Each structure stands twice: as C-alpha cells, then as structure tokens.
Amino acid sequence: MLRENFTGYRLHRSISILLGFMMMLIPVFFDQNAIFYLTPFGSLFLFIYVFKVTGKFSISFLIFLAATLLSEYLFLTDYEKNITLTCLVSIIGYAALLFIMKPVLKKRVTAFSKHNLVELIVGFITLSFVLLYIVYLVMPFIPETSLFLLTVVVFGITMSVCFIIPNYNLHPDNVGLIMIGGSYIAGTVFGFIYYFLYNEIPMLIMATFMMVFMKVTLATYITRFKRIEKESAYQEYI
C-alpha cells in the first residue's frame, strides 16, 4: 500500500492548499506583493509532502519549485526590466518539469491510443492558437524578443508532452498530466493578461489559483510514479 494514504503525509499538502487560498484572498484585502510572503511556504510544504510520501529527495522537483517561484516574482514585479533573467529561469523550470516526468517518459509502450487522436490534434491546435495569440498581443511590449520566443517554444514543447503522454500510456493517474498542463497554460495566460492587458485583481486571482492548482497536482502526480510504473505494463493501459 502506498504511504500516501496516511493522513500524516497528506497534512503537508492540505497546508499548502490552505496557503494557496490565502494567497488568492491577499490581493483583495492587501497589497498584491504580499503574495510572495506565502508562496515559498506553500512550495516548501509541497516538497516536504513529496519527500515524505516517496522517501526520496527530488532535486528536479526542488529546482522546478525554486525556478517557478523566482520567475513568478520577477514577472509580477517588473517583467520588462527582468525579462532576460525571467526567461532563463523559466526555461530551467520547464527543463526540470520534463526531467520530473522522466519515469513516465522512459516507459516504452508498443501501442498508441488512436481513439484519442482527434482530441490530441484538436488540443494541439488549440494550444498553439492560444500561445500564438498571447504572443501576438504582448509582443509589442517585449524588449528581448528572441529569448522570449525561445521561452515560448520550450514552454510549448513541455506542455505538449503533458498532453501527449496520457495518449500513449493510458494509466488513469496520467490524467493528472492533462490537469498540470492545462492549469499551467491557464495560469501563464492569466498572468500575461494581468500584467500587459487587463490589470485587474480577478486576473491575478485566477493566475494564482491556476499556479497553485498546478503545483499541488504535480506534487500529487509525483507520488503516483511507483504505481504508474508498476501497472503500466498491463495491456488495458496501453
């Protein structure tokens, strides 16, 4: 039985979720920058949760959390001034996320789920359209276009992997990757809308919610790797 079933380990994840809700309330009652006082603690409790459940010190997850925290801070404080560092840190975060998914990526499956092929194509077109449209809207405000476009490409590849894996490895837990990719995209889109196009609190709240949801879902997904590796050999998941 997986250790994640014990209440003591889920407590750390619950605390992180509670902090996430508090972060969404902060922009309403206080200054938006106060979010950054709670964000590190939310990530810390998620890391402890993964460590206690898996018994492993995940360097890649730690790097992802640190890179995401730094990129969020740089983005919301002064993205145009910190664009170079923000882009570099973001790329490191995307690379860490791909490395986190390595246990699932290395799982060789002989069959591809063709019954989801239409949904995959539609999802890829939708993802490309959303990213290109946001890039089109914010491009006039970007001082360092080449590095920004590189970041967008790496982000697109990473998100595509999140949607492709569940289509060749049909283990039920891999649905979490779709939620991770979807919430990451939504959080990024809401963040850019808030910073460049519509500087209103609801946009910031939605961006915060999506990023908290993404991190919690990712932490939960990491704790399922053993089960995915063990059960993905069965034909019904292929």
Side-chain angles (χ1 to χ4, degrees):
M1 184 175 67
L2 292 176
R3 289 188 291 169
E4 65 181 0
N5 293 326
F6 294 139
T7 306
Y9 296 129
R10 293 202 302 264
L11 176 63
H12 298 88
R13 184 178 61 181
S14 299
I15 293 175
S16 181
I17 294 173
L18 178 61
L19 290 173
F21 280 112
M22 293 174 63
M23 288 162 54
M24 287 185 285
L25 293 175
I26 283 177
V28 179
F29 301 102
F30 304 99
D31 183 76
Q32 68 177 43
N33 292 326
I35 292 177
F36 300 117
Y37 292 107
L38 291 181
T39 306
F41 291 101
S43 298
L44 176 62
F45 279 107
L46 282 180
F47 182 79
I48 295 174
Y49 164 71
V50 171
F51 174 72
K52 284 184 172 291
V53 174
T54 63
K56 296 180 179 179
F57 189 91
S58 177
I59 297 295
S60 54
F61 187 48
L62 180 62
I63 293 175
F64 172 79
L65 290 175
T68 305
L69 283 172
L70 183 56
S71 61
E72 290 173 355
Y73 175 79
L74 293 172
F75 179 83
L76 290 177
T77 51
D78 195 337
Y79 181 64
E80 294 170 82
K81 178 181 178 181
N82 303 318
I83 183 171
T84 300
L85 183 57
T86 306
C87 289
L88 291 175
V89 172
S90 298
I91 291 175
I92 292 174
Y94 304 148
L97 181 57
L98 288 173
F99 196 82
I100 289 171
M101 293 186 287
K102 184 180 178 181
V104 182
L105 284 170
K106 70 179 182 181
K107 194 71 180 179
R108 298 193 177 186
V109 183
T110 56
F112 186 84
S113 175
K114 294 183 179 179
H115 69 280
N116 286 333
L117 189 58
V118 175
E119 291 87 342
L120 184 62
I121 294 174
V122 172
F124 179 77
I125 294 175
T126 303
L127 170 62
S128 301
F129 173 79
V130 171
L131 289 179
L132 290 175
Y133 185 66
I134 293 296
V135 169
Y136 169 76
L137 291 177
V138 303
M139 187 61 72
F141 307 101
I142 304 298
E144 187 67 41
T145 56
S146 57
L147 187 57
F148 173 75
L149 291 176
L150 175 62
T151 307
V152 172
V153 171
V154 177
F155 177 74
I157 293 173
T158 307
M159 295 302 102
S160 297
V161 171
C162 289
F163 288 97
I164 290 173
I165 289 178
N167 284 272
Y168 76 79
N169 188 326
L170 302 183
H171 192 282
D173 285 331
N174 282 333
V175 175
L177 280 174
I178 297 178
M179 293 189 290
I180 292 167
S183 57
Y184 208 157
I185 293 171
T188 303
V189 170
F190 279 118
F192 272 96
I193 292 176
Y194 170 77
Y195 189 88
F196 289 108
L197 305 173
Y198 189 65
N199 190 244
E200 296 294 335
I201 295 301
M203 293 294 106
L204 179 59
I205 293 176
M206 288 303 301
T208 302
F209 170 77
M210 289 299 175
M211 295 306 290
V212 170
F213 180 82
M214 180 272 294
K215 294 174 186 177
V216 172
T217 306
L218 176 59
T220 305
Y221 179 71
I222 293 173
T223 64
R224 309 292 175 86
F225 279 161
K226 286 186 179 180
R227 183 162 63 188
I228 295 173
E229 288 180 326
K230 179 181 178 181
E231 298 179 354
S232 289
Y234 294 119
Q235 189 64 32
E236 60 264 30
Y237 294 141
I238 299 178

